[in-house]
Amino acid sequence: MSKPRRLAPMVKAIVVRESGSAVEEVGEEFLDGDGGLVVDVKFSDLNYKDAMALTGRPGVVRKHPLVAGIDLVGIVAESDDERFVPGDWVMLNGAGLSETEHGGYATRARISSEYAVALPEGLTPEQAAALGTAGYTAALAVLRILSENIMPDDGPVLVTGATGGVGSTAAQLLANAGYVVYGTTGRAEELGDFLRSIGVDEVIDRSTLEEPGKPLQKALYSAVVDSVGGVTLANAIAQTRKDGVVAACGLAGSHELPATVMPFILRGVTLAGIDSVWASLDDRADAWRILARGLDLDKLDSMTTRVDLDGLHAAAEELMAGQRHGRTLVTI
Ligand SMILES: NC(=O)c1ccc[n+]([C@@H]2O[C@H](COP(=O)([O-])OP(=O)(O)OC[C@H]3O[C@@H](n4cnc5c(N)ncnc54)[C@H](OP(=O)(O)O)[C@@H]3O)[C@@H](O)[C@H]2O)c1
C-alpha cells in the first residue's frame, strides 16, 4: 500500500488580487519566493502603504496575486543563510514585500535573507513589529539629520504628520535626544495632548503650512522630518534655517513638490530623501539600534493597538480616512 501523501500546511494570508484583497487560505506552494528563509510569521503592522494596498489604491502592489504586508517579524523555520538558524527571531521591512514579493500578512513567508535582520536587542518582537517600517523610516530620517551635524542647540526641528507612525516616532526620538520639536496635525484638539505626551513642544495646526508661501520665509527650523509632501514640504523647506536639513519621507498629502531652488542656493538647505525599502543592512542595523535605545518603550506600548488579519481591512479604511494615530500591531 502506498504511503499517504503528506499534505503541505495551509497558509492563512491576505492576498491582493486584481479584483481586490481578502483573507484566504492558500497552499504553501503559493509562496513562490526565491529566498533562503522560511519564516513562521508572528507579527506585522499597519503602515500607510499597507492601508493603500488593502484599500485598493494603486502604487504599492505591482504584481498579482500577492500577499500584502510590507513588514514581518517571525521565527525562522528553515534557513540557507548562515546568519540565521531555525528558532531565531528575524524581521524584514520593505525590500519589495507587498510590492513584488509576498509580504507579511500571512502565517508563513518564504523570503530573501539579503535585507533580513535579527530582532534588535532591547525590543520585544511585538515592539519591533509595532514600530515596523514607519518607526524604522523615522530612525533613518533622524540618522540623516545627525549625519549633517544638526545639534539640539541649532534650533527647533519640525515634524509634519506628527500623529502618524513616521512622525510620532521621529518626534519621540528627537525629543528624547534633546531637540525642541514642533509637530503638525490637523487634529490638534483631539490629539494635541497625545503629541505633548510624546515630547512635542509646540503643536502646529497643519493648515498653517498648506497655503502656498514665499520661496524664502522666516527661518525657523534647523531640520525637518516630513511625511506630507506637497505645499507643506515646500513651506517647510522655505522655513528651514541656514545649512539645515529636510528629510523627505512621505506623501500623505501629495507626491508633488511645488518649491523653488532659493532655500538650497541662498541658505544651503539640504533636501535628503529617505528610502526605507532598499536601505542597506548597515543603515537598518543603525536605525534599529537607535529605536531600541532612544524610545520610551512604555509609551510605544501605550500608543499601540492590536488587530488580527480579519480586522485589518477595517483598520486600513480608518487609516486612509485619517481616523487612526500611533501604531497598529498585527497579530498573525
Ligand atoms: N520613504 C519611505 O521609505 C517611507 C517609509 C514609511 C512611510 N513612508 C510614507 O510616509 C508617509 C507617512 O507614513 P505613516 O505610516 O506615518 O502614515 P500615517 O500613520 O497615516 O501618518 C500620516 C500622518 O499625516 C497626516 N496627514 C494625512 N493626510 C494628510 C494630508 N492630506 N495633509 C497633511 N497631513 C496629512 C495625518 O496626521 P493628522 O491627521 O494628525 O494631520 C497622519 O497621522 C506616507 O506617505 C508613507 O507612504 C515612506
Side-chain angles (χ1 to χ4, degrees), residues 48 133-134 137 161 163-166 185-187 206 210 227-228 249-253 274-276 319:
Y48 191 87
T133 282
T137 301
T163 60
V166 175
T185 176
R187 296 175 279 174
R206 81 185 197 196
E210 283 174 343
S227 289
V228 175
C249 300
L251 40 63
I274 305 299
D275 170 20
S276 66
L319 192 142

Side-chain angles (χ1 to χ4, degrees), residues 171-185:
Q172 288 179 76
L173 286 172
L174 290 162
N176 291 348
Y179 292 82
V180 171
V181 179
Y182 287 39
T184 70
T185 176

Side-chain angles (χ1 to χ4, degrees), residues 53-311:
L54 291 172
T55 57
R57 268 44 167 212
V60 179
V61 176
R62 283 187 259 137
K63 183 180 135 183
H64 297 93
L66 201 70
V67 176
I70 65 172
D71 293 323
L72 65 80
V73 175
I75 296 174
V76 173
E78 294 168 30
S79 172
D80 287 351
D81 183 327
E82 59 185 22
R83 289 189 301 135
F84 301 102
V85 296
D88 285 350
W89 279 98
V90 67
M91 62 182 185
L92 184 59
N93 308 104
L97 296 188
S98 183
E99 294 183 352
T100 53
E101 310 301 320
H102 292 303
Y105 294 159
T107 49
R108 202 154 236 232
R110 190 173 285 278
I111 55 172
S112 162
S113 62
E114 192 180 350
Y115 292 95
V117 295
L119 188 73
E121 223 172 283
L123 294 177
T124 65
E126 287 96 330
Q127 288 165 339
L131 287 165
T133 282
Y136 137 73
T137 301
L140 290 174
V142 170
L143 286 169
R144 190 70 174 80
I145 288 167
L146 294 174
S147 77
E148 295 286 332
N149 290 320
I150 308 287
M151 295 297 148
D153 56 10
D154 288 328
V157 294
L158 174 68
V159 176
T160 65
T163 60
V166 175
S168 62
T169 312
Q172 288 179 76
L173 286 172
L174 290 162
N176 291 348
Y179 292 82
V180 171
V181 179
Y182 287 39
T184 70
T185 176
R187 296 175 279 174
E189 256 185 46
E190 185 193 336
L191 296 176
D193 285 344
F194 162 72
L195 288 177
R196 282 180 280 274
S197 80
I198 60 169
V200 172
D201 298 279
E202 289 285 338
V203 176
I204 300 179
D205 194 303
R206 81 185 197 196
S207 64
T208 60
L209 286 164
E210 283 174 343
E211 290 300 318
K214 291 185 180 160
L216 284 178
Q217 301 171 30
K218 189 171 176 192
L220 299 171
Y221 305 111
S222 61
V224 178
V225 177
D226 177 65
S227 289
V228 175
V231 173
T232 297
L233 175 56
N235 281 329
I237 294 168
Q239 294 177 12
T240 300
R241 292 184 182 192
K242 174 142 179 56
D243 297 330
V245 56
V246 178
C249 300
L251 40 63
S254 168
H255 66 278
E256 291 181 355
L257 180 51
T260 76
V261 299
M262 303 302 252
F264 309 121
I265 61 174
L266 296 181
R267 286 187 182 153
V269 170
T270 296
L271 180 59
I274 305 299
D275 170 20
S276 66
V277 175
W278 298 112
S280 68
L281 265 187
D282 283 350
D283 287 348
R284 286 168 193 260
D286 288 347
W288 283 105
R289 202 170 303 122
I290 69 163
L291 287 167
R293 289 187 193 154
L295 288 177
D296 177 339
L297 296 174
D298 290 335
K299 265 187 203 148
L300 171 65
D301 293 342
S302 70
M303 60 186 261
T304 300
T305 50
R306 284 171 178 253
V307 66
D308 61 15
L309 287 181
D310 297 306

